[in-house]
Amino acid sequence: MFVPEDKNVFYSKSIKANNSLFQGDILDAKIIGLKNESDLYSPDNWMVITKSCDLVLDSNSLTIRKKNLSIIPLIALKLIYKMFRRDFIKDISKVNNRILLIAVHKLFSIFLTHNKKDEIEYLIKDRISKFMFLPPDGTILKEPTLIDFDLVIQINGNEQAEVQKVIQAKVLQLNSPFREKVAQRFAMHYSSIGVMDDEIRDKKYVSNLKKSF
């Protein structure tokens, strides 16, 4: 029931035959070596966030001309809820060292103490900068998923074997304009700044300002 009626608006099949990589390619974590059977809290899928123009492959060496490839995790909601078992901290030791979801657990332990329905709406409307909501396609992504912009992994695009693993790991493609929206949100998350504006946000200050008008 979580799959949109027209899922093809969001996703299309991934094509591996032409040895190409694009922003928005969704990858199988096991194939790229970021998940094994003991990883209870590792995402099943990751997404390429690097710009498509920086993913051009050298036709001779099958390496990426810009050398690096960045991917971000797609965290299924069922994985987040699984984190709230009491043995989470014990089990986290079994997770691949490069994938630490303790920060996600801490955030959602606060998140879920509030009204869940309201918070889900905040996610869908992209009001939490750390995350972006993606609906399932029903086949690869079988339930709602969150992109976590704080967990970015670099893959060496200068290693042919690594690049070939990424190509083989492609299982789905996020369509335009949604892939561009992900890139935009990624950039906004890292370019945002915080300022000390408590005084002008104070209710008394706002009240006085309103009176002056």
Side-chain angles (χ1 to χ4, degrees):
M1 66 177 178
F2 298 124
V3 180
E5 290 186 10
D6 188 3
K7 63 182 180 182
N8 294 328
V9 170
F10 296 93
Y11 304 104
S12 56
K13 291 182 179 181
S14 188
I15 301 174
K16 302 178 185 178
N18 57 359
N19 287 333
S20 59
L21 288 171
F22 299 98
Q23 185 180 73
D25 277 334
I26 296 173
L27 313 174
D28 184 310
K30 289 182 180 179
I31 296 177
I32 55 177
L34 290 178
K35 187 176 181 69
N36 55 49
E37 296 303 326
S38 65
D39 285 346
L40 301 178
Y41 300 102
S42 294
D44 291 328
N45 300 100
W46 292 70
M47 178 184 289
V48 176
I49 192 62
T50 301
K51 295 180 294 183
S52 293
C53 59
D54 287 344
L55 294 172
V56 177
L57 299 178
D58 186 298
S59 58
N60 295 318
S61 62
L62 273 186
T63 57
I64 297 171
R65 293 177 186 174
K66 291 290 185 178
K67 308 307 180 188
N68 286 320
L69 184 155
S70 297
I71 59 175
I72 50 180
L74 306 185
I75 306 173
L77 289 185
K78 67 177 180 181
L79 178 57
I80 293 170
Y81 287 115
K82 188 187 293 184
M83 290 179 191
F84 290 90
R85 289 171 36 193
R86 283 187 291 180
D87 58 353
F88 169 76
I89 300 301
K90 178 182 177 181
D91 286 345
I92 197 70
S93 62
K94 300 177 182 178
V95 178
N96 185 310
N97 290 332
R98 288 186 289 176
I99 312 167
L100 296 180
L101 300 181
I102 292 177
V104 179
H105 176 263
K106 287 183 177 178
L107 177 65
F108 272 83
S109 64
I110 299 171
F111 179 87
L112 291 176
T113 59
H114 298 87
N115 188 312
K116 294 180 183 179
K117 292 181 181 178
D118 289 343
E119 301 295 352
I120 291 296
E121 184 175 343
Y122 289 157
L123 284 173
I124 294 174
K125 291 182 178 180
D126 296 330
R127 292 182 181 175
I128 303 175
S129 70
K130 175 183 169 68
F131 295 114
M132 185 171 176
F133 177 86
L134 283 183
D137 73 305
T139 303
I140 303 300
L141 306 178
K142 296 183 180 180
E143 64 174 277
T145 301
L146 297 181
I147 298 171
D148 186 341
F149 293 124
D150 277 347
L151 297 174
V152 184
I153 286 182
Q154 295 280 324
I155 292 177
N156 188 353
N158 205 33
E159 290 287 338
Q160 185 181 62
E162 291 296 307
V163 175
Q164 287 181 323
K165 277 198 297 186
V166 173
I167 293 173
Q168 290 304 311
K170 291 166 54 173
V171 290
L172 200 63
Q173 168 64 232
L174 186 64
N175 288 338
S176 180
F178 297 101
R179 60 172 174 261
E180 289 83 4
K181 177 69 180 297
V182 172
Q184 181 188 54
R185 291 270 301 161
F186 180 78
M188 289 175 62
H189 176 64
Y190 282 100
S191 65
S192 62
I193 60 171
V195 294
M196 297 299 292
D197 60 353
D198 291 346
E199 289 186 8
I200 61 173
R201 287 176 176 267
D202 183 76
K203 290 182 180 180
K204 185 177 180 180
Y205 178 86
V206 173
S207 178
N208 289 338
L209 192 63
K210 287 180 178 178
K211 287 179 182 178
S212 69
F213 281 97

